[in-house]
Structure formats: structure tokens, C-alpha cells
């Protein structure tokens, strides 16, 4: 029997097992599945489950531990383990399949009278809700005949993972919001606040110009007599003398004439 035949048989058996479980309302779905063809008992547990029920955390693998007890005189072989998620019985519409879970091939042989624990993991990415989880196992006997067992069929809760402040995505979100808030405050301040409160002229600039003025030595000052009275000017020259003729530079000083003296008359 090839692999494709096993997969087809497994999917058809899984759907039939779910339909049979929903028709038999008085049957305890938490009890291990049993088959009249093989003396096999299968029980399923979830090591990470809480006391308030089984929760499937989105984005995180869920581990189911299947315990298979072989009471047959011959060894059996666990070929496939798979499952599906269905809507609950409390929904308005009839139960419908929501998601087929990953089907994993094992090929684990269990000797006669032995018990084996097999781990099956799957992950979900669904909206938080309550769904019916159905797990099934495909077994083969010593002659190669295939049998499908329902390993689990109970209601589970799909939930979102708990957020942590140390999550890199949360930290990046906080930094982005902080930068956006700071940019908004700066824009409001530079647009409206500064226009309401104009800045005064800084006194430091006036002091700088006062200290920067060059002091004039009194010895370098000369007096200039003019019509408006004496004035004081600096001896510092603000022009270039190289292009002025030397005769104009060295002019003779004017002679002072006493007011009381009379000019001498020339001899006739």
C-alpha cells in the first residue's frame, strides 16, 4: 500500500470519525479511542495545557502527547498522525471544518504488549475563538491492514500570545510613537508658541560691541581749532599717503602776527 493511498484513507477516515462523534451525543469524547479490530488504546494529553482548558496559542507550536498501548499478540505500526479544527456544536450553522492540521508520518513500531508515547506538534494562525480539535491516528497490523483511530475530540480555545514590554516589536513601536510625539510638539512650538512670545534682543551682543572698541591713547590725540571750537581727533591716519606729492605733505607752518604791531613803512 503506497503513501498516497494511506493519505487518502486517512483523510476519509478522519472526516467519518468526526461525523460519527457528532452523531453520538451520549458518547464520552474524552475517553481513549478503541477499535473492535485491534486491541489498541490511545490517550492524548497536552503537557503545556492549563487547568482552565487547552489553549492553542497563535504562532506557537502546540504539543500533543499520544500514548498508544498495544494489547495485540502481534506488533503494530503507527503510520500517520494528523488532525483538523472544526466549529463547535454551539454555532448557529452545522459544524464545519476550519483548518486541516499538518499530517506527520512516523512509522513507529510498537511490540506486542508494549506502550509507546508519540509527540505530535502543530501550530495555528486563527482568530481567537473556541473550536473542536480532532486528532486521528492511522495504524497498521502485522499483515499491513490499515485502521484509523480517533485520538482526541474536544473543544479548545485559540488565543493570541501574551505581549511583553521587552518584545522587539513593542520596543520599536514605542520608539516610533515617541519620535512622532516629539516631532508634533516641536512643530506646534515653532509654529504658534514662538509667535505669541517674541524673543527680546540679547544684551550680550551690545556688550560685545562695547568691548570690541579700540581705546585711543590721549598722547596720540591732537587738537583742531575750527569755527565750532576745539575738537579732538586721533592721529591715526585713515588714508594712503603714498600717492600724495611730498611738497603738499611738508607745507610750511603759518607765521603768527601780533595784533598790536604795525607794519613798517618802506623808505621813500
Amino acid at each position: 500500500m503506497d503513501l498516497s493511498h494511506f493519505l487518502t484513507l486517512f483523510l476519509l477516515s478522519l472526516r467519518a470519525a468526526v461525523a460519527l462523534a457528532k452523531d453520538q451525543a451520549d458518547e464520552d469524547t474524552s475517553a481513549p479511542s478503541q477499535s473492535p479490530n485491534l486491541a489498541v488504546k490511545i490517550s492524548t494529553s497536552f503537557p503545556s495545557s492549563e487547568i482552565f482548558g487547552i489553549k492553542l496559542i497563535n504562532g506557537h507550536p502546540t504539543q500533543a502527547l499520544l500514548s498508544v498501548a498495544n494489547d495485540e499478540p502481534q506488533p503494530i505500526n503507527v503510520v500517520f498522525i494528523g488532525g483538523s479544527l472544526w466549529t463547535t456544536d454551539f454555532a448557529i450553522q452545522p459544524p464545519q471544518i476550519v483548518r486541516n492540521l499538518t499530517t506527520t508520518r512516523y512509522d513507529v513500531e510498537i511490540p506486542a504488549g508494549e506502550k509507546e508515547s508519540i509527540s505530535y506538534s502543530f501550530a495555528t494562525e486563527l482568530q481567537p475563538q473556541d473550536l473542536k480539535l480532532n486528532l486521528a491516528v492511522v495504524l497498521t497490523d502485522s499483515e499491513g491492514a490499515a485502521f484509523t483511530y480517533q485520538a482526541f475530540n474536544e473543544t479548545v480555545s485559540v488565543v493570541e500570545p501574551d505581549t511583553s514590554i521587552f518584545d522587539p516589536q513593542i520596543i520599536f513601536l514605542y520608539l516610533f510613537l515617541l519620535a512622532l510625539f516629539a516631532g508634533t510638539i516641536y512643530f506646534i512650538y515653532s509654529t504658534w508658541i514662538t509667535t505669541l512670545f517674541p524673543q527680546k534682543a540679547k544684551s550680550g551682543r551690545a556688550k560685545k560691541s562695547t568691548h570690541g572698541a579700540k581705546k585711543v591713547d590721549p598722547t596720540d590725540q591732537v587738537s583742531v581749532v575750527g569755527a565750532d571750537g576745539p575738537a579732538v581727533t586721533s592721529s591715526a591716519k585713515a588714508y594712503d599717503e603714498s600717492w600724495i606729492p611730498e611738497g603738499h605733505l611738508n607745507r610750511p607752518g603759518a607765521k603768527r602776527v601780533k595784533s598790536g604791531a604795525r607794519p613798517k613803512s618802506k623808505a621813500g
Side-chain angles (χ1 to χ4, degrees):
M1 191 176 295
D2 56 358
L3 178 60
S4 61
H5 183 75
F6 268 124
L7 288 175
T8 303
L9 179 62
F10 172 73
L11 293 177
L12 293 176
S13 301
L14 179 61
R15 291 179 180 271
V18 173
L20 180 61
K22 295 185 181 302
D23 291 338
Q24 298 175 351
D26 55 345
E27 181 181 357
D28 186 6
T29 56
S30 61
S33 299
Q34 300 181 9
S35 173
N37 299 321
L38 290 177
V40 176
K41 296 180 180 180
I42 302 177
S43 61
T44 304
S45 62
F46 294 84
S48 59
S49 62
E50 301 179 357
I51 59 176
F52 299 103
I54 301 172
K55 295 183 179 180
L56 309 182
I57 303 176
N58 284 330
H60 293 265
T62 301
Q63 182 185 15
L65 191 62
L66 282 71
S67 178
V68 182
N70 181 19
D71 295 333
E72 287 284 322
Q74 301 294 330
I76 60 174
N77 191 30
V78 178
V79 184
F80 294 107
I81 298 178
S84 59
L85 291 170
W86 295 69
T87 57
T88 59
D89 298 335
F90 302 100
I92 300 176
Q93 298 179 353
Q96 296 180 356
I97 187 170
V98 177
R99 178 71 57 85
N100 283 321
L101 303 179
T102 303
T103 301
T104 307
R105 185 183 182 96
Y106 289 91
D107 287 332
V108 176
E109 182 177 341
I110 303 176
E114 297 293 333
K115 186 178 182 180
E116 188 75 24
S117 296
I118 303 174
S119 177
Y120 172 71
S121 298
F122 60 94
T124 57
E125 286 291 346
L126 300 171
Q127 294 292 334
Q129 55 186 314
D130 291 337
L131 297 174
K132 183 79 72 173
L133 174 62
N134 184 274
L135 299 179
V137 182
V138 175
L139 304 172
T140 56
D141 58 8
S142 58
E143 297 180 357
F147 303 90
T148 302
Y149 283 78
Q150 188 181 53
F152 187 82
N153 186 33
E154 292 186 16
T155 302
V156 296
S157 299
V158 180
V159 297
E160 294 290 345
D162 296 333
T163 57
S164 175
I165 59 175
F166 299 103
D167 188 0
Q169 295 181 353
I170 300 299
I171 295 176
F172 177 77
L173 178 61
Y174 288 160
L175 293 177
F176 175 77
L177 294 177
L178 181 61
L180 182 63
F181 177 75
T184 304
I185 295 299
Y186 177 77
F187 175 76
I188 294 175
Y189 175 80
S190 60
T191 304
W192 289 287
I193 304 300
T194 54
T195 58
L196 296 177
F197 302 97
Q199 297 181 354
K200 297 181 180 180
K202 296 182 179 179
S203 59
R205 186 174 181 181
K207 293 181 180 179
K208 183 177 181 181
S209 60
T210 304
H211 291 297
K214 183 179 180 181
K215 294 182 179 180
V216 180
D217 191 359
T219 59
D220 295 337
Q221 297 178 350
V222 295
S223 62
V224 178
V225 178
D228 297 334
V232 178
T233 61
S234 175
S235 63
K237 298 177 181 180
Y239 57 88
D240 188 7
E241 296 180 353
S242 61
W243 60 275
I244 302 175
E246 185 177 357
H248 292 279
L249 294 175
N250 299 325
R251 293 186 300 175
K255 295 181 179 180
R256 294 183 179 181
V257 180
K258 295 182 179 180
S259 60
R262 292 182 179 179
K264 297 180 179 181
S265 59
K266 295 182 179 180

